[in-house]
PDB file of all heavy atoms in Angstrom:
ATOM      1  N   ASP A 378       0.110  29.678   1.174  1.00 83.00           N
ATOM      2  CA  ASP A 378       1.580  30.003   0.905  1.00 83.00           C
ATOM      3  C   ASP A 378       1.767  30.534  -0.464  1.00 83.00           C
ATOM      4  O   ASP A 378       1.568  29.863  -1.475  1.00 83.00           O
ATOM      5  CB  ASP A 378       2.431  28.766   1.113  1.00 83.00           C
ATOM      6  CG  ASP A 378       3.890  28.959   1.089  1.00 83.00           C
ATOM      7  OD1 ASP A 378       4.356  30.012   0.644  1.00 83.00           O
ATOM      8  OD2 ASP A 378       4.690  28.049   1.640  1.00 83.00           O
ATOM      9  N   GLU A 379       2.254  31.722  -0.673  1.00 82.00           N
ATOM     10  CA  GLU A 379       2.345  32.400  -1.866  1.00 82.00           C
ATOM     11  C   GLU A 379       3.390  31.800  -2.760  1.00 82.00           C
ATOM     12  O   GLU A 379       3.364  31.883  -3.935  1.00 82.00           O
ATOM     13  CB  GLU A 379       2.668  33.952  -1.748  1.00 82.00           C
ATOM     14  CG  GLU A 379       1.558  34.752  -1.133  1.00 82.00           C
ATOM     15  CD  GLU A 379       0.306  34.789  -2.119  1.00 82.00           C
ATOM     16  OE1 GLU A 379       0.542  34.777  -3.435  1.00 82.00           O
ATOM     17  OE2 GLU A 379      -0.829  34.800  -1.698  1.00 82.00           O
ATOM     18  N   SER A 380       4.333  31.055  -2.253  1.00 84.00           N
ATOM     19  CA  SER A 380       5.415  30.344  -2.994  1.00 84.00           C
ATOM     20  C   SER A 380       4.771  29.234  -3.841  1.00 84.00           C
ATOM     21  O   SER A 380       5.448  28.846  -4.806  1.00 84.00           O
ATOM     22  CB  SER A 380       6.489  29.941  -2.067  1.00 84.00           C
ATOM     23  OG  SER A 380       6.085  28.810  -1.195  1.00 84.00           O
ATOM     24  N   PHE A 381       3.652  28.767  -3.477  1.00 78.00           N
ATOM     25  CA  PHE A 381       3.103  27.766  -4.266  1.00 78.00           C
ATOM     26  C   PHE A 381       2.013  28.238  -5.295  1.00 78.00           C
ATOM     27  O   PHE A 381       1.402  27.512  -6.106  1.00 78.00           O
ATOM     28  CB  PHE A 381       2.201  26.686  -3.352  1.00 78.00           C
ATOM     29  CG  PHE A 381       3.204  25.889  -2.504  1.00 78.00           C
ATOM     30  CD1 PHE A 381       3.099  25.934  -1.146  1.00 78.00           C
ATOM     31  CD2 PHE A 381       4.126  24.945  -3.177  1.00 78.00           C
ATOM     32  CE1 PHE A 381       3.945  25.295  -0.345  1.00 78.00           C
ATOM     33  CE2 PHE A 381       4.824  24.200  -2.291  1.00 78.00           C
ATOM     34  CZ  PHE A 381       4.841  24.227  -0.960  1.00 78.00           C
ATOM     35  N   CYS A 382       1.882  29.577  -5.407  1.00 77.00           N
ATOM     36  CA  CYS A 382       1.039  30.164  -6.374  1.00 77.00           C
ATOM     37  C   CYS A 382       1.667  30.204  -7.628  1.00 77.00           C
ATOM     38  O   CYS A 382       2.770  30.824  -7.904  1.00 77.00           O
ATOM     39  CB  CYS A 382       0.663  31.652  -5.900  1.00 77.00           C
ATOM     40  SG  CYS A 382      -0.581  32.477  -7.007  1.00 77.00           S
ATOM     41  N   ILE A 383       0.984  29.557  -8.725  1.00 77.00           N
ATOM     42  CA  ILE A 383       1.604  29.512  -9.966  1.00 77.00           C
ATOM     43  C   ILE A 383       0.860  30.358 -10.988  1.00 77.00           C
ATOM     44  O   ILE A 383       1.147  30.359 -12.181  1.00 77.00           O
ATOM     45  CB  ILE A 383       1.673  28.033 -10.530  1.00 77.00           C
ATOM     46  CG1 ILE A 383       0.384  27.346 -10.501  1.00 77.00           C
ATOM     47  CG2 ILE A 383       2.697  27.333  -9.716  1.00 77.00           C
ATOM     48  CD1 ILE A 383       0.353  26.057 -11.245  1.00 77.00           C
ATOM     49  N   GLY A 384      -0.208  31.082 -10.559  1.00 74.00           N
ATOM     50  CA  GLY A 384      -0.934  31.883 -11.430  1.00 74.00           C
ATOM     51  C   GLY A 384      -2.166  32.301 -10.739  1.00 74.00           C
ATOM     52  O   GLY A 384      -2.329  32.267  -9.534  1.00 74.00           O
ATOM     53  N   HIS A 385      -2.941  33.001 -11.507  1.00 74.00           N
ATOM     54  CA  HIS A 385      -4.242  33.562 -11.022  1.00 74.00           C
ATOM     55  C   HIS A 385      -5.459  32.941 -11.583  1.00 74.00           C
ATOM     56  O   HIS A 385      -5.408  32.619 -12.885  1.00 74.00           O
ATOM     57  CB  HIS A 385      -4.337  35.168 -11.028  1.00 74.00           C
ATOM     58  CG  HIS A 385      -3.233  35.870 -10.407  1.00 74.00           C
ATOM     59  ND1 HIS A 385      -3.237  36.027  -9.069  1.00 74.00           N
ATOM     60  CD2 HIS A 385      -2.097  36.377 -10.769  1.00 74.00           C
ATOM     61  CE1 HIS A 385      -2.141  36.750  -8.682  1.00 74.00           C
ATOM     62  NE2 HIS A 385      -1.552  36.919  -9.740  1.00 74.00           N
ATOM     63  N   LEU A 386      -6.393  32.822 -10.949  1.00 76.00           N
ATOM     64  CA  LEU A 386      -7.730  32.197 -11.445  1.00 76.00           C
ATOM     65  C   LEU A 386      -8.463  33.259 -12.246  1.00 76.00           C
ATOM     66  O   LEU A 386      -8.720  34.240 -11.760  1.00 76.00           O
ATOM     67  CB  LEU A 386      -8.617  31.630 -10.353  1.00 76.00           C
ATOM     68  CG  LEU A 386      -9.728  30.827 -10.804  1.00 76.00           C
ATOM     69  CD1 LEU A 386      -9.353  29.565 -11.667  1.00 76.00           C
ATOM     70  CD2 LEU A 386     -10.549  30.461  -9.612  1.00 76.00           C
ATOM     71  N   SER A 387      -8.742  32.903 -13.501  1.00 82.00           N
ATOM     72  CA  SER A 387      -9.355  33.937 -14.339  1.00 82.00           C
ATOM     73  C   SER A 387     -10.889  33.862 -14.056  1.00 82.00           C
ATOM     74  O   SER A 387     -11.381  32.793 -13.790  1.00 82.00           O
ATOM     75  CB  SER A 387      -9.057  33.603 -15.870  1.00 82.00           C
ATOM     76  OG  SER A 387      -9.888  34.443 -16.684  1.00 82.00           O
ATOM     77  N   THR A 388     -11.598  34.930 -14.326  1.00 85.00           N
ATOM     78  CA  THR A 388     -13.032  35.121 -14.184  1.00 85.00           C
ATOM     79  C   THR A 388     -13.543  34.207 -15.195  1.00 85.00           C
ATOM     80  O   THR A 388     -14.505  33.422 -15.113  1.00 85.00           O
ATOM     81  CB  THR A 388     -13.455  36.551 -14.398  1.00 85.00           C
ATOM     82  OG1 THR A 388     -12.816  37.290 -13.345  1.00 85.00           O
ATOM     83  CG2 THR A 388     -15.007  36.475 -14.195  1.00 85.00           C
ATOM     84  N   LYS A 389     -13.070  34.288 -16.441  1.00 90.00           N
ATOM     85  CA  LYS A 389     -13.606  33.536 -17.632  1.00 90.00           C
ATOM     86  C   LYS A 389     -12.410  33.516 -18.746  1.00 90.00           C
ATOM     87  O   LYS A 389     -11.730  34.458 -18.801  1.00 90.00           O
ATOM     88  CB  LYS A 389     -14.819  34.188 -18.168  1.00 90.00           C
ATOM     89  CG  LYS A 389     -15.463  33.499 -19.357  1.00 90.00           C
ATOM     90  CD  LYS A 389     -16.754  34.029 -19.567  1.00 90.00           C
ATOM     91  CE  LYS A 389     -17.528  33.207 -20.632  1.00 90.00           C
ATOM     92  NZ  LYS A 389     -16.646  32.813 -21.781  1.00 90.00           N
ATOM     93  N   THR A 390     -12.395  32.422 -19.439  1.00 91.00           N
ATOM     94  CA  THR A 390     -11.530  32.517 -20.708  1.00 91.00           C
ATOM     95  C   THR A 390     -12.408  32.436 -21.795  1.00 91.00           C
ATOM     96  O   THR A 390     -13.550  32.047 -21.807  1.00 91.00           O
ATOM     97  CB  THR A 390     -10.574  31.114 -20.656  1.00 91.00           C
ATOM     98  OG1 THR A 390     -11.373  29.973 -20.658  1.00 91.00           O
ATOM     99  CG2 THR A 390      -9.680  31.137 -19.351  1.00 91.00           C
TER     100      THR A 390
END
Side-chain angles (χ1 to χ4, degrees):
D378 187 341
E379 290 297 324
S380 67
F381 291 117
C382 182
I383 58 170
H385 298 282
L386 187 62
S387 177
T388 305
K389 185 172 183 314
T390 61

